[in-house]
Amino acid sequence: MLNKMEKQIVIIGSGFSSLSAASYLAKAGNKVIVLEKNSTVGGRARKFEKNGFKFDMGPTWYWMPDVFEKFFKDFNKKPSDFYQLDRLKPAYEVYFGKKDSVIIDNNLEAIYNVFENEEKGSSVHLKRFLKSAKFNYKVAINSLVYKPGNSILELINLTTISKINQFFTSISSTVRKRIKSKKLQQILEFPVLFLGAKPSNTPSFYNFMNYADFGLGTWHPKGGMYEVVSAFVNLAVELGVDFKTNENVNEIVVENGVVKGVKTQNDFYKADVVISGADYHHSETLVPKKYRMYSEKYWDKKIFAPSSLLFYVGFNKKLINVSHHTLFFDTDFDVHAKDIYDTPNWPKEPLFYASFPSITDNSFAPVSKEAATFLIPLAPDLDDTPEIREYYFKKIIERMEKLTNQSLFDSVMFKESYCVKDFKKDYNSYKGNAYGLANTLFQTAFLRPKIKSKKVKNLFFTGQLTVPGPGVPPSIISGKIVANEILKI
């Protein structure tokens, strides 16, 4: 039978979902080839190096360490076989104004104290909230997120039925019902931004992200997130996966409704099965129109996670009054969110995030210097020009100077920017989105684009636009889901 024979499997793209799928399928005895259009593997989780500085170009947060542990355990490995992991202390810092920042420590008691000092009685509500979040996390991880999204029945069991109201109320309404401090509200609403939607549009069931934040903690792999990419690649190579870079796929070849392989600018790769870990919309343009499951109208109506304007900056001195992960929430989030989700525009006063990994890890910058990554979340498909990028760089650096009480402009050795145009060019990203498809109520689980093509036999999809959703841990899970579906063939 076919499922007892070795299959030739071609995977398009080398992001976390592709790397995950590749290892599971190779372990099962298949011949796996991964084709990457860029010169290095990792998809959006690439790295950038310049003048002795190093930057993670994509993900910089290491959350949900148990997902990584489960992945490696499936291969009789553990993360420490590949990289060193340290829990950050503090986890992160949030600025609300000059000399007004909240530090989130790496243990719950300290976090309860922070809440209580800000709003009397709030720690009681936080404990209740986190109890629910922990329960939801266990439900999500153990029985929901590893499902292929084929049917609503995947979501229905005795536990989820008891929580049904949480799918029809929002994170925002749940948080604001008990917590009145705007600062604390923003801290509790911040983690769901990783899911790519406004807290007011994200079901309260997703409060499990708060447990991922406060309960499981924020970690740093020594050397950065690219060390995690390297770990996944090394595992895959050990299992026999063949990687080919600078191979841009131009066509997924289909004959009589059956996938036959892929064409790149260099070659034809015959395949029994094709998986695309590339942008889902782009992937469907690689097959004839009659074989596409989703129309342009379908994609245009979907709620996408934000794009981003990123800056990779080398400073000629060590910075003060900032933490490894620092959030600048000194402007109105609701106004910025409208500019992202409701009436797409460049924000007038954007919130932004900054990562200073060289505070924790001296491999990121030369001695006495600082590596910094700045990120402004944006609506996808905005006009993107050098002049606009420069305007926003000046804007956020001026704000940061005032908030952290230090001069910065004169200490910039270099900066590189990355925005909508780059996401489109490097990743064929639909409208230049950075994080995939938002996890709103009507874009959850079985309501997301399907893992398996209904029109082309043996064509599959994985990554941020299908199940379970945006982020590194969900992408790793997505790779396992698609591998399991293929192993049923």
Side-chain angles (χ1 to χ4, degrees):
M1 292 176 64
L2 184 60
N3 64 344
K4 298 296 183 183
M5 296 168 57
E6 177 188 275
K7 300 183 189 70
Q8 172 116 332
I9 299 172
V10 171
I11 301 179
I12 304 169
S14 64
F16 275 109
S17 61
S18 295
L19 296 175
S20 171
S23 287
Y24 284 111
L25 292 166
K27 180 189 175 188
N30 299 289
K31 181 174 175 54
V32 182
I33 301 172
V34 176
L35 304 177
E36 169 57 53
K37 77 183 284 287
N38 295 309
S39 60
T40 57
V41 296
R44 299 176 194 219
R46 294 185 294 162
K47 68 176 176 179
F48 165 60
E49 295 179 283
K50 182 173 181 175
N51 299 346
F53 290 82
K54 180 173 66 177
F55 306 87
D56 282 315
M57 292 184 68
T60 56
W61 293 77
Y62 192 105
W63 271 10
M64 301 169 70
D66 53 322
V67 173
F68 295 85
E69 289 164 10
K70 282 183 180 180
F71 171 79
F72 285 112
K73 188 177 180 181
D74 284 341
F75 304 92
N76 296 315
K77 306 278 189 183
K78 50 189 183 294
S80 59
D81 292 332
F82 298 96
Y83 52 88
Q84 178 185 324
L85 206 55
D86 298 310
R87 189 164 182 172
L88 290 180
K89 181 179 174 57
Y92 54 90
E93 183 173 2
V94 188
Y95 269 91
F96 295 99
K98 189 171 183 179
K99 294 183 180 178
D100 182 11
S101 73
V102 173
I103 290 177
I104 300 301
D105 214 322
N106 69 347
N107 69 87
L108 282 172
E109 284 306 316
I111 295 169
Y112 293 144
N113 289 337
V114 165
F115 270 63
E116 196 63 26
N117 290 337
E118 177 63 31
E119 179 184 330
K120 191 168 178 58
S122 63
S123 64
V124 176
H125 301 309
L126 178 60
K127 286 174 185 176
R128 188 183 301 122
F129 180 76
L130 288 180
K131 184 178 180 181
S132 167
K134 182 177 182 178
F135 181 85
N136 287 350
Y137 187 88
K138 289 181 177 178
V139 170
I141 291 297
N142 293 329
S143 64
L144 295 184
V145 296
Y146 285 90
K147 299 289 176 63
N150 292 331
S151 164
I152 190 174
L153 296 177
E154 293 172 6
L155 292 179
I156 298 174
N157 56 48
L158 291 175
T159 302
T160 54
I161 287 174
S162 71
K163 296 281 184 178
I164 193 69
N165 65 307
Q166 292 190 12
F167 287 93
F168 296 96
T169 56
S170 71
I171 283 278
S172 185
S173 63
T174 303
V175 167
R176 298 183 185 200
K177 185 177 181 181
R178 303 288 184 190
I179 306 287
K180 301 307 175 186
S181 161
K182 191 161 186 179
K183 291 180 191 176
L184 300 183
Q185 289 172 355
Q186 286 186 283
I187 289 169
L188 286 175
E189 290 174 356
F190 141 72
V192 302
L193 298 179
F194 285 99
L195 301 172
K198 286 195 296 187
S200 58
N201 285 342
T202 303
S204 62
F205 180 80
Y206 284 105
N207 69 358
F208 65 73
M209 291 298 292
N210 294 99
Y211 176 69
D213 177 2
F214 291 169
L216 298 177
T218 301
W219 300 76
H220 173 71
K222 189 170 176 60
M225 287 297 290
Y226 200 74
E227 290 302 308
V228 185
V229 171
S230 297
F232 274 66
V233 172
N234 291 338
L235 174 63
V237 169
E238 185 182 315
L239 292 164
V241 176
D242 186 12
F243 287 88
K244 296 184 182 297
T245 54
N246 296 307
E247 283 284 10
N248 187 30
V249 174
N250 298 321
E251 181 185 352
I252 297 172
V253 179
V254 181
E255 292 179 8
N256 300 318
V258 181
V259 78
K260 294 298 179 181
V262 303
K263 284 182 183 177
T264 70
Q265 79 276 26
N266 298 316
D267 211 342
F268 170 72
Y269 293 88
K270 186 177 181 298
D272 300 307
V273 176
V274 171
I275 305 170
S276 184
D279 177 274
Y280 202 128
H281 168 268
H282 170 74
S283 301
E284 283 222 301
T285 68
L286 301 176
V287 300
K289 200 166 187 177
K290 66 179 180 178
Y291 292 125
R292 298 172 194 173
M293 289 192 292
Y294 305 106
S295 67
E296 289 297 322
K297 189 175 180 181
Y298 169 90
W299 291 111
D300 193 52
K301 285 185 174 181
K302 289 295 165 186
I303 300 172
F304 275 79
S307 185
S308 299
L309 171 55
L310 292 134
F311 297 101
Y312 309 106
V313 185
F315 288 101
N316 67 8
K317 66 178 183 181
K318 300 300 289 183
L319 304 190
I320 60 171
N321 299 330
V322 290
S323 299
H324 182 126
H325 294 300
T326 307
L327 301 159
F328 293 88
F329 284 5
D330 54 306
T331 60
D332 193 324
F333 170 75
D334 291 333
V335 173
H336 188 170
K338 285 178 183 176
D339 288 330
I340 296 174
Y341 297 104
D342 300 336
T343 51
N345 282 299
W346 281 91
K348 288 183 179 178
E349 296 296 338
L351 286 76
F352 65 98
Y353 155 68
S355 172
F356 306 99
S358 46
I359 290 175
T360 301
D361 186 340
N362 59 18
S363 72
F364 276 85
V367 176
S368 302
K369 295 179 172 58
E370 206 85 88
T373 298
F374 297 93
L375 182 153
I376 302 172
L378 303 170
D381 219 22
L382 295 179
D383 288 336
D384 171 18
T385 67
E387 293 76 19
I388 292 174
R389 296 187 189 194
E390 186 63 24
Y391 170 81
Y392 279 93
F393 181 72
K394 289 178 178 176
K395 195 174 192 66
I396 63 173
I397 296 299
E398 283 173 359
R399 285 219 336 249
M400 187 176 152
E401 283 187 327
K402 291 174 184 174
L403 291 166
T404 63
N405 195 31
Q406 63 188 314
S407 62
L408 295 171
F409 276 112
D410 293 342
S411 299
V412 173
M413 296 173 65
F414 66 86
K415 71 174 187 298
E416 299 287 343
S417 63
Y418 200 94
C419 198
V420 173
K421 284 183 178 177
D422 302 300
F423 282 103
K424 291 178 179 179
K425 176 176 68 72
D426 289 348
Y427 310 124
N428 296 307
S429 172
Y430 183 71
K431 294 186 177 181
N433 81 83
Y435 308 110
L437 201 61
N439 260 344
T440 60
L441 175 60
F442 295 107
Q443 294 182 174
T444 292
F446 68 99
L447 296 173
R448 296 179 73 80
K450 299 301 181 188
I451 282 269
K452 182 179 181 180
S453 173
K454 292 181 178 179
K455 294 190 175 183
V456 180
K457 186 178 181 181
N458 295 341
L459 174 61
F460 295 81
F461 304 87
T462 188
Q464 299 186 108
L465 272 72
T466 182
V467 291
V472 175
S475 292
I476 294 168
I477 293 167
S478 186
K480 183 173 185 177
I481 292 170
V482 74
N484 286 342
E485 292 300 291
I486 290 166
L487 294 176
K488 294 175 184 176
I489 296 174

